[in-house]
Amino acid sequence: MHGPNLRTLAKPARQFPSPSPARPTTMSRRGAMPSTAPRARLSPPAPASHPPRKRGRSPSAPGSTASWRASAENTVPLYHRRRWHNPERAPGRVWQRFRAPQPALLSSRLWICSEDASTSSSGDACTIMSYNILADYNARNHPDLYLDAPWDAMRWDSRRRLIIREIRHWDPDVVCLQEVDRFQDIAAGMKSRGYEGIFQRRTGDTRDGCAIFWKSKQLHLVEEDSIDFSEFNLRNNVAQICVFELNGTHKFVLGNIHVLFNPKRGDVKLGQSAIYKFLSTMKLNISLHDRRHLSGLDSTEFGYELCSLLKYQWTDEEVRNATGYSNVMVAEHPLKLSSSYAMLKGNSNNRGLHGEPLATSYHRKFLGTVDYLWHTHGIECSRVLDTLPISVLKRTRGLPTREIGSDHLPIVAEFAFTESVEDDSDEDDESEQDDESE
């Protein structure tokens, strides 16, 4: 599954109200079989059989919003089996223990550094990863998207190992995850690397949500809050908002969101800030665009060109979803955002006309870019981890693979704090020009 995933790294904003205490959640695992008295025998004893392990389920009932925190009290070490048997295959066929893949694809991704000396890496830099990890529930309930993926590569145990391995390999300070429906499994693997984490489940009958992990030695969580988009008639999606303090010196606001993927609901997606043009230019005249095309997945350059020669009719409800008012056709936001990847020039085989990666997600029905890292003034991007060339991705015939654990690639950027933070309200608003000429 995929949908534009937007993270906003911004300067400190107003203080959020103190969140309510998270509810600890524990997981239990099946105990060992009781031992039996040994019997004398002439031949060597047969290997002991192990009971099958039960899959962990979310403790929250459908229709509720869950918010969990990873800690020593509510994470349980995972039980690793050395071998597993595939009951759907021929009887007696045993698949050996998972072997770590060769790091060819990992090592082929290169860091693209800024040419500006003022944004060079320093002790005040913070590396942030955004990663849509493909919820296990979605992977199992949309098999038509992954017909070309190896059967064993789609197993959650295999994908979980690859996801944790990828995060550990790039070693980010903060990790923003989307499509998380097995938070405890991920939290257990992250805890051993010194990460703390929080999880926010979507409302309704959905099972997944968003999660943020951070290195507790470098970062201190000052405030946390979340947005339930169903309260604004924008479907059952959520966003996480956190205020962090880095090394006791710098504070910044971090937002993590996984927005709706539905080409027919452009009004909902615009209301969730999912339009590239809207974010980068601070405003968008929706009357110039077809609501059905605002999702961008049927337009040029993999999903962020918005071109239209005709004006389209919007209902009052659709306009209100997009702009907040039924009689206002121009949507605006106050943040002056910059896309991290677009600011740093990468390999022409990996980038499009706007400087964004050509593809961050790939499965049987989609190849394109839907993942972004945005930041405001006062924070500059010093380097980004370039994505894979289209030719390399096409050779996989779709993600996940035995080397990549999701149908998305993680995107990573390092941010440096500038000496002074400008106040956007004191600057001239260059976006006041009408969009009619576009």
Side-chain angles (χ1 to χ4, degrees):
M1 297 296 292
H2 63 270
N5 310 308
L6 310 174
R7 269 60 52 191
T8 302
L9 181 64
K11 60 186 180 182
R14 65 175 183 269
Q15 293 295 318
F16 299 104
S18 299
S20 58
R23 297 181 305 205
T25 304
T26 59
M27 290 180 59
S28 61
R29 69 183 186 195
R30 189 170 180 175
M33 295 291 292
S35 60
T36 58
R39 294 185 301 173
R41 56 190 302 155
L42 298 178
S43 59
S49 61
H50 296 279
R53 181 179 55 167
K54 291 184 177 180
R55 286 182 177 269
R57 297 295 182 187
S58 171
S60 301
S64 62
T65 301
S67 179
W68 303 334
R69 180 185 295 275
S71 63
E73 290 76 14
N74 59 16
T75 55
V76 179
L78 296 174
Y79 173 62
H80 298 284
R81 297 177 61 189
R82 298 187 64 85
R83 309 194 328 161
W84 60 273
H85 176 71
N86 177 11
E88 299 179 5
R89 299 278 179 162
R93 184 171 183 179
V94 177
W95 293 69
Q96 298 297 324
R97 181 183 181 184
F98 174 86
R99 292 187 297 177
Q102 298 297 323
L105 291 180
L106 284 181
S107 60
S108 63
R109 297 188 64 178
L110 303 176
W111 287 99
I112 305 298
C113 298
S114 171
E115 298 178 356
D116 189 350
S118 65
T119 60
S120 60
S121 176
S122 65
D124 291 333
C126 182
T127 306
I128 297 178
M129 169 186 283
S130 176
Y131 197 0
N132 183 318
I133 63 174
L134 177 57
D136 181 40
Y137 175 83
N138 292 337
R140 289 186 286 107
N141 284 274
H142 298 276
D144 56 309
L145 302 180
Y146 312 104
L147 294 178
D148 295 325
W151 181 88
D152 54 317
M154 293 301 299
R155 296 178 60 250
W156 169 245
D157 284 347
S158 300
R159 295 201 302 110
R160 175 187 53 79
R161 293 187 184 98
L162 292 174
I163 291 167
I164 296 296
R165 174 177 174 267
E166 180 114 24
I167 296 173
R168 289 180 174 180
H169 180 83
W170 301 117
D171 197 31
D173 299 309
V174 183
V175 182
C176 297
L177 300 180
Q178 305 86 40
E179 282 200 44
V180 181
D181 64 345
R182 292 182 175 270
F183 174 72
Q184 300 290 356
D185 290 355
I186 299 296
M190 297 291 286
K191 180 177 177 295
S192 62
R193 299 292 294 182
Y195 289 92
E196 294 184 26
I198 55 176
F199 171 74
Q200 190 67 42
R201 179 178 171 174
R202 294 198 290 158
T203 55
D205 58 356
T206 56
R207 301 187 181 185
D208 65 290
C210 295
I212 297 178
F213 292 91
W214 65 93
K215 289 184 177 179
S216 56
K217 289 186 177 181
Q218 290 91 347
L219 292 157
H220 169 64
L221 179 62
V222 180
E223 298 282 350
E224 64 173 293
D225 201 353
S226 63
I227 299 175
D228 178 6
F229 286 100
S230 65
E231 297 179 359
F232 306 96
N233 192 29
L234 297 176
R235 297 296 181 93
N236 295 307
N237 288 341
V238 296
Q240 294 177 294
I241 303 175
C242 294
V243 179
F244 287 106
E245 185 176 52
L246 176 64
N247 297 326
T249 56
H250 299 284
K251 290 183 180 180
F252 62 92
V253 179
L254 180 74
N256 179 27
I257 179 176
H258 178 212
V259 298
L260 172 75
F261 165 62
N262 189 336
K264 298 181 180 179
R265 291 303 305 272
D267 56 316
V268 172
K269 182 169 289 189
L270 180 58
Q272 295 171 335
S273 300
I275 299 298
Y276 186 92
K277 180 178 178 60
F278 173 60
L279 290 178
S280 59
T281 64
M282 301 176 62
K283 64 188 304 183
L284 184 72
N285 189 336
I286 65 173
S287 66
L288 300 178
H289 304 285
D290 188 342
R291 178 178 60 83
R292 297 170 300 176
H293 297 165
L294 282 179
S295 294
L297 299 183
D298 56 348
S299 58
T300 60
E301 200 180 327
F302 301 113
Y304 45 81
E305 278 286 351
L306 293 175
C307 298
S308 178
L309 299 178
L310 300 175
K311 294 187 177 181
Y312 301 91
Q313 296 297 321
W314 291 58
T315 66
D316 290 344
E317 181 182 0
E318 292 166 353
V319 173
R320 184 168 53 253
N321 286 340
T323 68
Y325 303 93
S326 59
N327 60 343
V328 176
M329 300 299 293
V330 178
E332 298 182 85
H333 70 83
L335 299 175
K336 295 188 176 180
L337 300 173
S338 300
S339 177
S340 304
Y341 276 74
M343 301 303 294
L344 301 183
K345 185 178 180 180
N347 191 317
S348 59
N349 295 327
N350 305 5
R351 302 295 188 90
L353 296 178
H354 293 273
E356 296 289 357
L358 286 174
T360 63
S361 179
Y362 182 30
H363 56 63
R364 190 177 181 87
K365 296 184 178 181
F366 178 76
L367 171 65
T369 296
V370 288
D371 302 273
Y372 303 93
L373 280 165
W374 301 84
H375 65 92
T376 62
H377 293 291
I379 300 174
E380 296 182 346
C381 185
S382 55
R383 62 175 183 165
V384 297
L385 182 65
D386 218 357
T387 53
L388 295 173
I390 293 294
S391 59
V392 174
L393 281 176
K394 286 185 175 181
R395 284 200 295 269
T396 67
R397 300 183 62 187
L399 306 178
T401 68
R402 293 186 177 95
E403 293 182 329
I404 300 175
S406 173
D407 58 353
H408 288 247
L409 298 174
I411 56 175
V412 190
E414 182 184 72
F415 299 94
F417 291 86
T418 57
E419 294 182 359
S420 61
V421 179
E422 299 177 354
D423 187 356
D424 291 344
S425 62
D426 295 336
E427 297 181 2
D428 293 334
D429 188 357
E430 300 177 357
S431 63
E432 292 297 331
Q433 297 180 358
D434 199 335
D435 282 1
E436 294 293 338
S437 61
E438 299 173 2

